[in-house]
Amino acid sequence: MSTITDTLRSNWAVMISGTGSNLSALLDLDPVLSVGLVISDKKNAYGLSRARRRGIPTYHFENNDWDDLQNQLKRYLIDYIFLAGFMKICPENFLKNWSGRIFNVHPSLLPTYPGLKSIERSFNDKAPMGVTIHEVTPAVDKGLILLQRKIVSTDTLESSEFQIHISEHRVVRRVFECYKK
Ligand code: GRF
């Protein structure tokens, strides 16, 4: 069983597919957080440039080669994984290696609006909106919830999206700051 101090000293991999603004929010926490590898399934993801600028090793995940990804995670001695806008579904075989050690940020108040287009769907339904950090399990967006934050509702989809992203950056930081205590 790991302690919070172990976790603080642990080596994290962050997995992305896009701009990596959540990755950036996490990297701003250095030296609290040790990110040893950034992984993207999109070769040109802007988040990879953010990582390289900070001298963090990157890995392009391709051809759904989950075995090679697992080898890379071993090679870089990764302890924990954070999915920050990673748009692929992790298979059960992969997840069994990371039980309780892989987390995701999702742009809705789970269990409502799991899956894709959560912001748009919750906005259109005039439902409460917010963000969730949860453990990743084979049942998509159904793992243990670690933290949630609601946003104040706004009149336009664009401003709701903006608020959600700001809120995501705060909660991803908050989760890691909790690990620090
Ligand atoms: C975030 O809204 C995340 O919740 C969703 O994808 C987006 C990624 O944004 N799954 P970024 O790449 O961190 O800027």
Side-chain angles (χ1 to χ4, degrees):
M1 177 95 176
S2 66
T3 66
I4 286 170
T5 312
D6 290 337
T7 306
L8 177 61
R9 289 180 190 145
S10 294
N11 195 17
W12 289 76
V14 180
M15 295 176 66
I16 60 167
S17 294
T19 55
S21 64
N22 283 291
L23 166 69
S24 215
L26 284 176
L27 294 180
D28 286 346
L29 282 177
D30 272 349
V32 169
L33 177 69
S34 163
V35 176
L37 184 62
V38 172
I39 296 152
S40 172
D41 61 318
K42 301 271 185 331
K43 199 174 182 176
N44 297 319
Y46 181 61
L48 288 175
S49 313
R50 294 184 197 260
R52 287 188 197 115
R53 273 203 301 273
R54 294 188 186 234
I56 298 170
T58 60
Y59 168 72
H60 177 214
F61 171 66
E62 55 186 341
N63 305 321
N64 278 326
D65 194 342
W66 295 93
D67 290 337
D68 192 50
L69 174 60
Q70 180 61 28
N71 289 337
Q72 295 296 326
L73 292 163
K74 268 195 200 154
R75 179 177 164 214
Y76 284 93
L77 306 174
I78 298 301
D79 304 301
Y80 292 87
I81 301 175
F82 199 89
L83 306 185
F86 183 66
M87 298 309 285
K88 280 188 178 283
I89 292 176
C90 302
E92 196 164 351
N93 256 352
F94 174 77
L95 288 176
K96 74 173 194 287
N97 303 311
W98 295 96
S99 178
R101 297 191 296 141
I102 179 166
F103 311 97
N104 180 46
V105 55
H106 183 81
S108 79
L109 296 169
L110 292 173
T112 60
Y113 302 98
L116 298 174
K117 295 191 184 290
S118 309
I119 304 179
E120 201 176 318
R121 288 186 291 127
S122 51
F123 178 82
N124 289 340
D125 290 351
K126 297 187 178 10
M129 299 177 76
V131 305
T132 303
I133 308 271
H134 65 95
E135 285 187 12
V136 180
T137 57
V140 176
D141 294 336
K142 293 217 165 95
L144 179 75
I145 290 173
L146 302 184
L147 185 64
Q148 287 191 306
R149 185 169 290 178
K150 202 172 165 181
I151 63 155
V152 177
S153 57
T154 59
D155 292 340
T156 66
L157 176 59
E158 291 70 27
S159 61
S160 294
E161 280 171 342
F162 180 75
Q163 278 212 53
I164 290 274
H165 293 310
I166 298 293
S167 189
E168 282 186 330
H169 301 164
R170 288 192 183 128
V171 293
V172 297
R173 287 193 187 116
R174 184 76 194 119
V175 162
F176 284 93
E177 280 163 359
C178 286
Y179 276 110
K180 185 182 155 190
K181 285 180 188 154

